[in-house]
Amino acid sequence: MEKKRLSEKYEVGLMIASLIVVAIMVVGLTLFPEQGVAISHQIMNLLTHTFGSTMQLIAFGVFIFLVVLALSKYGNIKFGNAKPEYSTMSWVAMMFFCGNGAGTVYWAFLEWGYHFNAAPQINGVSISEAYNYEQSLAYCFYDWGPIAWALLCVFVIPFAYHYYIKKDKELRFSQLCKYSVGEKRVKGLFGKFVDFLFIFSAIGSVAITAGTSGSTIAATISDLIGIPNSFGLTVGVLLGVTIIYTLTSMSGAAKGMKKISDANVYACIALLLFIFIVGPTSFIWDNMVNALGLMLSNFIRMTTWTDPVAATGYPQSWTVFYLIYWFVFGPFTGLFVAKISRGRKLKEIIANMLISGSAGLIFFFGIMGGYQMDLRMQGILDIPYMLANGLAENIALATMHTLPFSKVAMCVYLFVIVLFLATTMDAISQTLSTTIAKELDEKGEAPKPLKFAWCLILCALPIAIYFIGTDIDTIKSIVLLSGFPLVVLLAIMYFGLLREMKKDFGHKTKEEIIRESEVSEET
């Protein structure tokens, strides 16, 4: 049997071009830091102020569209002629940890403090400190809640329909556009650009996630065992995480990511329950219920508030920023969640991402935020003050030190954030491998050598960024620039997808679609 060349097995040119562009960006920002900061500020201003209100309307439209789609007859479309491949807990856990990443553990300790310091006015009137506490947590629930999950979920449906219903084994982002623009354009320069954008946003997501998590993990280890927090320690942390996600990636989603996701679920529950029980339990619970009510009652206002008169920039700096942030995370999350959703119905995917995903984040931010608010009111630890004085990296550790059995709590916290980071990077390495591989096996997995190569690349990137001292916030701003073209591509994809969905299922009744799903479960 004749051995195939690399160019026949992989999209070598696309992979090299993507890496070169990323390398040029990182080195350029390092050599010209002042210009990089200026450019990043211009980009963020362009995205959040010029297109901010448009992004808010798009996000709200996406949320409404998914709810309507789930409740329609099309919600009963089943992806794959088999029973669900994973238990519901494992399935939800994998999508939860892939969709949120280690940023969840990082921001759960900080975000309410940023909202508290901003103290957004209500209808031009300053709010009381009591209401500021309440609204700060409500905005955390909003930023990581249903709208965020809707922007991730909207990318899952095209991948799942393309893979399971159309039975097309090429799991490239560009392939989702062929139902609108045709096969010829997808195979040409247009398709290459779309796949490059996918790779760029995924690699950028690694830079953002590893950038916020690597130093936090290193600081925790330093505090825990009493060694200096250094560049070498951060490198050691990233190499250790790389070993974990390389092993899971090489063994595939079924054996690898499922195991660490399941383990992380129990660790997260243990940590949150411990804080909930030893902390001010009644206050934490009341605060969560109150913040949930505020978020739900003000959901439309939070989504569409642009603050045009006072022009504080608050909704642009937070709401719009997060909308773009989730859009950038959407494509690789969509591909991964689609791959693990064999045997699930369309409405199951939407419901679990919008409800289960949001519920998990509400408990995470609610318990952590409620505990920290009580610490501030008791005069023990002032999170808003620490944020205002540039002490963000010390907040998680300072919070852990206020707990009884703090060393044990820190070990569990360390375990959770490491697995969060490993899970996210595992998902990214698998989706990038799928994009570059021209042929997948019968399980939709890319060749192991390609996965291994991406694991090494994803490890090298954050280490290089730390080594040369590139500003993570500047990289974050430039990576978010890919969010705008993703909006356009999403519209192109859904134009073709909805046409195909109508052609395949439009003539069938809801009962017929349900009956087909029931038959497929028996086969």
Side-chain angles (χ1 to χ4, degrees), residues 316-383:
Q316 289 76 24
S317 299
W318 285 99
T319 303
V320 177
F321 168 80
Y322 267 116
L323 297 181
I324 301 170
Y325 181 84
W326 295 121
F327 247 107
V328 173
F329 268 77
F332 91 80
T333 303
L335 194 158
F336 182 82
V337 173
K339 281 187 64 180
I340 64 172
S341 297
R342 186 184 179 201
R344 300 287 175 176
K345 292 183 180 180
L346 187 151
K347 63 183 179 182
E348 283 184 86
I349 295 175
I350 295 175
N352 273 283
M353 292 193 78
L354 266 60
I355 299 174
S356 301
S358 299
L361 268 300
I362 285 171
F363 278 103
F364 218 109
F365 279 79
I367 292 175
M368 203 66 69
Y371 177 69
Q372 289 180 324
M373 287 180 183
D374 182 73
L375 291 178
R376 185 178 190 271
M377 289 187 287
Q378 298 295 330
I380 299 172
L381 187 66
D382 192 337
I383 304 302

Side-chain angles (χ1 to χ4, degrees), residues 146-160:
I147 287 289
W149 283 98
L151 295 178
L152 297 176
C153 181
V154 75
F155 286 96
V156 178
I157 309 303
F159 275 116

Side-chain angles (χ1 to χ4, degrees), residues 68-80 161 165 343-350 501 505 508-518 520-521:
V68 171
L69 185 63
L71 296 176
S72 73
K73 68 176 183 179
Y74 298 104
N76 296 286
I77 296 173
K78 187 178 181 184
F79 296 121
Y161 199 89
I165 305 300
R344 300 287 175 176
K345 292 183 180 180
L346 187 151
K347 63 183 179 182
E348 283 184 86
I349 295 175
I350 295 175
M501 197 177 287
F505 295 95
K508 298 178 182 179
T509 64
K510 176 181 178 180
E511 289 70 25
E512 288 174 326
I513 297 174
I514 294 174
R515 192 158 51 245
E516 287 180 4
S517 298
E518 291 172 348
S520 64
E521 285 184 2

